[in-house]
């Protein structure tokens, strides 16, 4: 028996291999004592054999092998040069061990196929990163390669993964474990609104704030496949990898993307904060990490394609006076782009709209103390464009394919395509003082193709090398490309095209299962929401945006005096608090009322917090139920203040204490009894600040 273990203060992972075989994860959960005998752990993990079974149970290894009688889905599906199936049987070669890292090398000598699994555990973020690599002596065809396979817990009744749609990202889908498998496969070639590559497996009784949970995220932007399978013997396996058959060429080496995994003994929030911290502190590479996230102004919902210099200047002046610090010029500045039917790829300033180029607008924006950002959709081309007319073969997919938003994707695997787009974008970035790109990707691919995603990554990497100070926002009709793969080369996500504060409240709440505040864009939209038709008060819109990386997207000329005043006030609150909030953990609260969506953003040292309690609907009962807080020090005293108590409506006639004064109470009381808030109107937000005394 060979054994290996990886530890952080939150979890232990033990791998064990019988003789030369691939190892299994024989333990993953709460930390084990240092002296634990791993041989016994491995033998203690093995299940019995009874009637109707083979004489020995096939291993649920990190890459279950079809050839070893494994009764479930294999971790690898491969064909040789001549297309005959390859069924490797891997044998141990060597293990490279370092502190918190493990790399295991295996090979099938007869077939000349190698397999390497790497594991790393982060002692601060509590994320385990696992990746698989396959090598062959000659080009082979890959159908499926799972990142190292983890077991699913058996004391769990259900699993939670993600669905969604345009303007409705990060919806959760809960599925009961049962015999067979939950299979998710995204064949759109893009991470997608519908397929965020994440999975949460809560153990029985777990909630946001208590119990045990496991969570996974696959860091790849080209579409993933997930298998959560229960075998007839009761064991469960979880596999993540690229969508199947998306490697179109035979090759001698393939890699999975990193699979990020975490165990928590302190509720689903333990997994969520592990992902939030890992993304913020390890994955995202800010050009200047000490620069506070600037308040954005984005002109999309104000002017769409109708760019008029005096109007944009006026808007910029007003945005700056409201508190904006970065002005982002959205779609419509290039080619002949008067609507979404033309010009993608013609990345040259439209002289009809900007006769003197972008300089005058950029100078004006800078004069208002704001930096300047600009929109591109680099991987796309309209058949109605100069570039397409000259190079129709640059487009990916068949001539007669169905278009998406009247556009095709460029074939990003072609170096000449990447070079052309690089040159056009570089010219704009070199000729102007621009510190930000909103990088869009508004359609799915005609077919899944890993080379396309690698081409996109290569283009972003090349631009970042030459323009290291430029930050990039990942947008794809809103939240269609959000994953740790794209976020290792970008700095913000446009979470959704929905600026409806009510929708946004829910989307943000669920996205916080993986995303920290600092990368999550959130804008105050128009009074009359363009994507839902709803009308929300400025205060609700502003507070929802202030929960994440705040910005504005309405036409500021529509604001009346009160709206301006509220927006200024909330923006200044945001600026005052962003330094600590952008390093805080977002803790989702277990709201006792389904109409209330609530979270606690807490400084990592526990010294302060802010609670946002959003009334997403009307409650069944008359008065608000007490809202219990979490992760406080039971013994310590906290001062709690209802920040926006002045906005209680006339229908709140009583005297709940927070309406009139700040309170000083113990962490124990806040966690066991909770805060009694004034009656809210639907679509309003209570904001509470807490300070440990
Ligand atoms: C996408 C984005 C929007 C906007 C438009 C511009 O839909 O999600 O925010 O940039 O493209 O065409």
């Amino acid at each position: 028996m060979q054994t290996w273990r990886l530890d952080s203060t939150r979890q232990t992972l033990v791998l064990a291999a019988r003789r030369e075989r691939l190892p299994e994860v024989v333990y993953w959960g709460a930390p084990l004592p240092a002296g634990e005998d791993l041989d016994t752990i491995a033998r203690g993990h093995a299940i019995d054999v009874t009637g109707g079974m083979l004489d020995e149970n096939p291993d649920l290894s990190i890459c279950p092998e079809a050839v070893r009688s494994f009764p479930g889905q294999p971790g690898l599906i491969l064909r040789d040069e001549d297309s005959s199936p390859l069924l490797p049987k891997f044998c141990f070669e060597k293990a490279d061990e370092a502190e918190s890292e493990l790399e295991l090398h295996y090979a099938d000598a007869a077939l000349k196929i190698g397999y390497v699994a790497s594991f790393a555990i982060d002692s601060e973020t509590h994320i385990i990163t696992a990746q698989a690599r396959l090598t062959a002596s000659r080009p082979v065809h890959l159908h499926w390669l799972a990142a190292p396979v983890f077991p699913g817990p058996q004391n769990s009744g259900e699993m939670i993964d993600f669905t969604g749609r345009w303007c409705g990202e990060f919806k959760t889908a809960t599925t009961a474990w049962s015999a067979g498998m939950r299979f998710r496969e995204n064949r759109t070639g893009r991470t997608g609104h519908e397929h965020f590559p994440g999975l949460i497996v809560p153990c029985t009784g777990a909630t946001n704030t208590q119990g045990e949970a496991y969570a996974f995220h696959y860091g790849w932007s080209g579409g993933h496949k997930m298998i959560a399978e229960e075998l007839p013997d009761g064991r469960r396996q979880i596999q993540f990898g690229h969508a199947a058959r998306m490697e179109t060429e035979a090759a001698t080496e393939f890699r999975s993307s990193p699979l990020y995994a975490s165990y928590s003994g302190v509720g689903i929030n333990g997994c969520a904060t592990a992902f939030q911290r890992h993304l913020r502190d390890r994955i995202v590479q800010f050009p200047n990490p000490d620069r506070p996230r600037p308040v954005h102004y984005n002109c999309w919902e104000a002017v769409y394609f109708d760019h008029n210099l005096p109007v944009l200047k006026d808007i910029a002046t007003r945005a700056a006076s409201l508190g904006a610090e970065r002005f982002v010029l959205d779609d419509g500045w290039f080619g002949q782009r008067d609507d979404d039917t033309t010009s993608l790829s013609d990345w040259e300033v439209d002289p009809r709209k900007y006769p003197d180029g972008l300089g005058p607008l950029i100078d004006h924006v800078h004069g208002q103390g704001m930096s300047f950002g600009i929109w591109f959709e680099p991987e796309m081309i309209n058949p109605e464009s100069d570039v397409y007319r000259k190079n129709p073969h640059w487009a990916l997919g068949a001539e007669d394919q169905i278009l998406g938003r009247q556009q095709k994707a460029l074939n990003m695997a072609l170096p000449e395509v990447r070079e052309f787009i690089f040159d056009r974008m570089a010219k704009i970035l070199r000729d102007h003082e621009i510190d930000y790109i909103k990088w869009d990707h508004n359609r799915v691919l005609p077919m899944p193709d890993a080379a396309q995603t690698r081409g996109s990554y290569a283009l972003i990497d090349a631009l970042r090398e030459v323009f290291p100070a430029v930050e990039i926002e990942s947008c794809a009709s809103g939240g269609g490309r959000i994953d740790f793969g794209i976020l290792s080369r970008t700095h913000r996500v446009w979470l959704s095209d929905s600026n409806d504060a009510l929708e946004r409240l829910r989307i943000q709440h669920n996205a916080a299962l993986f995303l920290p505040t600092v990368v999550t864009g959130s804008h105050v939209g128009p009074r009359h929401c363009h994507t839902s038709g709803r009308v929300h008060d400025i205060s609700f819109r502003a507070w929802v945006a202030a929960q994440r990386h705040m910005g504005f997207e309405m036409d500021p000329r529509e604001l009346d005096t009160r709206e301006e005043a509220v927006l200024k006030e909330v923006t200044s609150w945001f600026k005052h608090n962003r330094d600590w909030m952008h390093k805080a953990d977002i803790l989702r609260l277990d709201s006792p009322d389904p109409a209330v969506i609530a979270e606690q953003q807490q400084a990592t040292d526990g010294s302060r917090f802010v609670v946002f309690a959003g009334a997403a609907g009307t409650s069944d009962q008359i008065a608000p139920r007490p809202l219990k807080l979490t992760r406080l020090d039971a013994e310590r005293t906290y001062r709690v203040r209802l920040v926006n108590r002045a906005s209680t409506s006339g229908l709140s006639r009583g005297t709940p204490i927070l309406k009139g004064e700040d309170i000083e109470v113990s962490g124990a009381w806040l966690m066991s009894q909770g805060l009694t808030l004034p009656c809210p109107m639907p679509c309003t937000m209570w904001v509470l600040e807490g300070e440990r005394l």
Side-chain angles (χ1 to χ4, degrees):
M1 188 83 75
Q2 299 188 81
T3 56
W4 299 273
R5 69 181 281 174
L6 289 166
D7 289 278
S8 82
T9 51
R10 282 256 200 90
Q11 62 197 321
T12 296
L13 180 80
V14 180
L15 291 152
R18 284 194 264 182
R19 296 182 293 277
E20 302 296 289
R21 295 184 206 167
L22 284 172
E24 305 181 88
V25 172
V26 294
Y27 178 83
W28 182 27
L32 295 178
E36 191 82 55
D37 178 40
L38 299 185
D39 269 26
T40 310
I41 293 295
R43 288 173 52 214
H45 164 265
I47 52 173
D48 200 0
V49 174
T50 178
M53 290 174 114
L54 294 172
D55 298 338
E56 191 188 319
N57 285 304
D59 296 339
L60 198 176
S61 80
I62 56 173
C63 183
E65 295 150 290
V67 76
R68 292 199 200 260
S69 312
F70 184 68
Q73 297 297 309
L76 175 67
I77 303 177
L78 200 62
R79 283 180 186 271
D80 215 335
E81 280 167 303
D82 64 357
S83 277
S84 58
L86 279 168
L87 297 171
K89 191 192 276 185
F90 291 116
C91 287
F92 180 75
E93 277 197 325
K94 63 169 181 161
D96 292 332
E97 290 178 75
E99 197 184 328
S100 308
E101 275 174 10
L102 176 64
E103 200 171 80
L104 299 172
H105 294 248
Y106 286 78
D108 181 320
L111 295 178
K112 298 200 172 59
I113 306 282
Y115 173 84
V116 182
S118 60
F119 296 86
I121 192 163
D122 193 301
S123 59
E124 279 167 43
T125 67
H126 306 292
I127 288 286
I128 296 170
T129 305
Q131 208 168 348
R133 180 156 61 92
L134 193 85
T135 53
S137 60
R138 68 287 174 198
V140 293
H141 298 276
L142 182 72
H143 286 221
W144 168 241
L145 170 65
V149 174
F150 285 79
Q154 298 217 17
N155 61 336
S156 161
E158 57 195 28
M159 62 189 116
I160 303 167
D161 56 30
F162 295 84
T163 72
R165 57 167 164 79
W166 177 69
C167 283
E169 291 82 349
F170 284 94
K171 291 182 188 292
T172 51
T174 301
T175 311
W177 282 100
S178 62
M181 60 176 168
R182 167 88 171 151
F183 179 94
R184 293 289 309 264
E185 188 170 29
N186 170 8
R187 302 204 60 80
T188 68
R190 165 181 91 163
T191 324
H193 305 79
E194 318 82 3
H195 299 284
F196 175 77
L199 174 71
I200 294 170
V201 188
C203 296
T204 310
T207 69
N208 287 315
T209 61
Q210 59 191 11
E212 291 184 297
Y214 295 80
F216 304 84
H217 168 65
Y218 189 65
W220 168 242
S221 315
H224 78 292
K225 170 172 148 180
M226 177 198 93
I227 290 169
E229 183 178 33
E230 178 165 305
L231 304 177
D233 57 44
R235 289 179 297 173
R236 293 166 172 178
Q237 66 157 334
I238 290 162
Q239 297 191 2
F240 272 92
H242 292 16
R245 301 180 309 283
M246 72 183 319
E247 295 292 355
T248 55
E249 307 276 325
T252 54
E253 183 176 339
F254 299 98
R255 283 163 197 268
S256 78
S257 281
L259 174 63
Y260 302 94
S262 194
Y263 158 82
S264 160
V266 289
I268 294 170
N269 281 339
C271 295
T273 55
F275 284 107
Q276 292 167 21
R277 289 180 185 198
H278 198 77
L279 181 61
R280 185 190 62 213
D281 300 338
R282 303 284 188 267
I283 303 284
V284 176
Q285 307 289 324
F286 285 110
N288 177 358
D290 295 330
R291 178 185 184 185
R293 302 287 75 218
V295 174
H296 278 203
Y297 178 79
N298 180 295
C299 66
W300 177 239
E301 292 203 339
V303 301
Y304 294 103
F305 298 99
D306 188 9
H307 291 206
N308 169 300
L309 188 58
V311 169
L312 285 170
K313 281 183 175 173
D314 180 23
I315 287 178
T317 308
R318 290 167 189 260
S321 84
L322 292 165
E325 298 160 312
R326 178 185 271 155
F327 180 96
V328 182
L329 185 67
D330 212 282
D331 195 356
W333 57 268
F334 55 92
Q336 303 268 312
R337 184 89 166 159
D338 296 334
D339 56 33
D340 62 13
T341 61
T342 80
S343 302
L344 292 174
S345 281
D346 293 342
W347 301 114
E348 283 163 332
V349 180
D350 183 347
R352 299 169 309 154
K353 296 177 185 170
Y354 298 95
D356 300 313
L358 292 175
L361 178 62
I362 296 180
D363 289 345
H364 179 82
V365 164
H366 288 159
Q368 297 299 313
M370 295 185 288
S371 71
F372 189 84
I374 193 160
W375 184 93
F376 283 101
E377 196 178 354
E379 292 113 324
M380 298 295 158
I381 187 159
N382 286 111
E384 204 48 59
S385 67
D386 292 343
V387 174
Y388 188 88
R389 280 183 282 271
K390 272 189 225 133
N391 308 286
H393 58 289
W394 281 4
L396 185 71
E399 173 76 41
D400 63 347
Q401 66 181 277
I402 303 174
L403 299 184
R405 210 190 190 201
Q406 288 84 235
Q407 67 203 47
K408 293 185 178 180
L410 285 164
N411 184 346
M412 298 302 292
L414 300 176
E416 67 267 33
V417 168
R418 293 201 300 268
E419 276 157 32
F420 175 84
I421 298 296
F422 177 94
D423 288 345
R424 286 288 168 100
M425 295 178 73
K427 175 148 178 48
I428 299 286
L429 296 176
R430 245 192 306 267
D431 291 352
H432 305 93
E433 207 179 307
I434 292 176
D435 80 337
Y436 188 78
I437 294 173
K438 176 175 176 183
W439 187 302
D440 219 327
H441 189 294
N442 280 316
R443 60 156 293 166
V444 297
L445 300 188
M447 67 280 184
D449 181 353
Q452 178 76 5
T453 307
R454 285 192 289 263
S456 292
Y457 285 173
L459 175 63
I460 305 178
D461 293 346
L463 280 159
R464 288 189 62 230
E465 204 173 311
V466 181
F467 303 99
V470 174
E471 289 182 10
I472 303 176
E473 171 173 57
S474 175
C475 173
S477 304
R481 186 156 62 176
I482 299 178
D483 59 80
F484 285 19
I486 201 76
L487 276 160
S488 64
R489 23 184 78 80
T490 57
H491 312 93
R492 189 190 204 235
V493 296
W494 184 226
L495 187 61
S496 177
D497 269 354
S498 175
N499 285 321
D500 177 314
L502 180 58
E503 301 285 345
R504 202 71 187 207
L505 180 69
R506 183 199 55 74
I507 300 171
Q508 287 178 180
H509 190 65
N510 287 347
L513 289 163
F514 297 91
L515 304 182
T517 305
V518 71
V519 301
T520 311
S522 192
H523 294 174
V524 182
R527 185 187 304 133
H528 195 121
C529 177
H530 293 187
T531 53
S532 69
R534 289 195 187 109
V535 174
H536 287 128
D537 187 69
I538 187 68
S539 162
F540 186 50
R541 285 184 278 145
W543 280 120
V544 170
Q547 284 184 279
R548 300 291 185 267
H549 178 189
M550 187 177 195
F552 319 139
E553 195 164 329
M554 89 300 278
D555 185 336
R557 294 173 299 176
E558 79 168 30
L559 299 170
D560 63 26
T561 324
R562 184 188 69 91
E563 288 172 326
E564 259 180 35
V566 172
L567 190 51
K568 278 186 186 164
E569 194 185 312
V570 176
T571 306
S572 112
W573 181 91
F574 170 82
K575 287 183 181 174
H576 196 70
N577 285 281
R578 65 182 157 190
D579 283 349
W580 76 267
M581 273 172 64
H582 287 163
K583 296 189 197 87
D585 292 324
I586 307 172
L587 303 166
R588 293 162 26 114
L589 294 175
D590 292 327
S591 171
D593 181 343
V596 175
I597 294 179
E599 71 182 28
Q600 177 180 334
Q601 291 191 24
Q602 177 142 301
T604 14
D605 66 0
S607 60
R608 62 195 295 181
F609 61 80
V610 56
V611 169
F612 294 99
T618 48
S619 302
D620 289 342
Q621 78 290 351
I622 295 179
R625 298 191 198 280
L627 181 64
K628 290 186 192 188
L629 306 193
T630 186
R631 295 262 194 108
L632 301 175
D633 186 338
E635 300 292 321
R636 300 287 294 266
T637 303
Y638 294 81
R639 180 182 298 127
V640 181
R641 183 170 82 92
L642 182 59
V643 176
N644 55 345
R645 61 168 66 108
S647 50
T648 36
S649 80
L651 283 177
S652 161
R653 299 188 295 143
T655 52
I657 189 166
L658 283 162
K659 213 170 132 181
E661 59 192 90
D662 299 352
I663 56 173
E664 288 182 11
V665 281
S666 68
W669 185 84
L670 288 166
M671 292 190 290
S672 305
Q673 166 64 27
L675 297 164
T676 299
L677 291 160
C679 290
M681 292 290 224
C683 298
T684 58
M685 176 94 85
W686 291 131
V687 183
L688 301 117
E689 284 173 352
E691 183 195 347
R692 192 176 60 203
L693 300 180

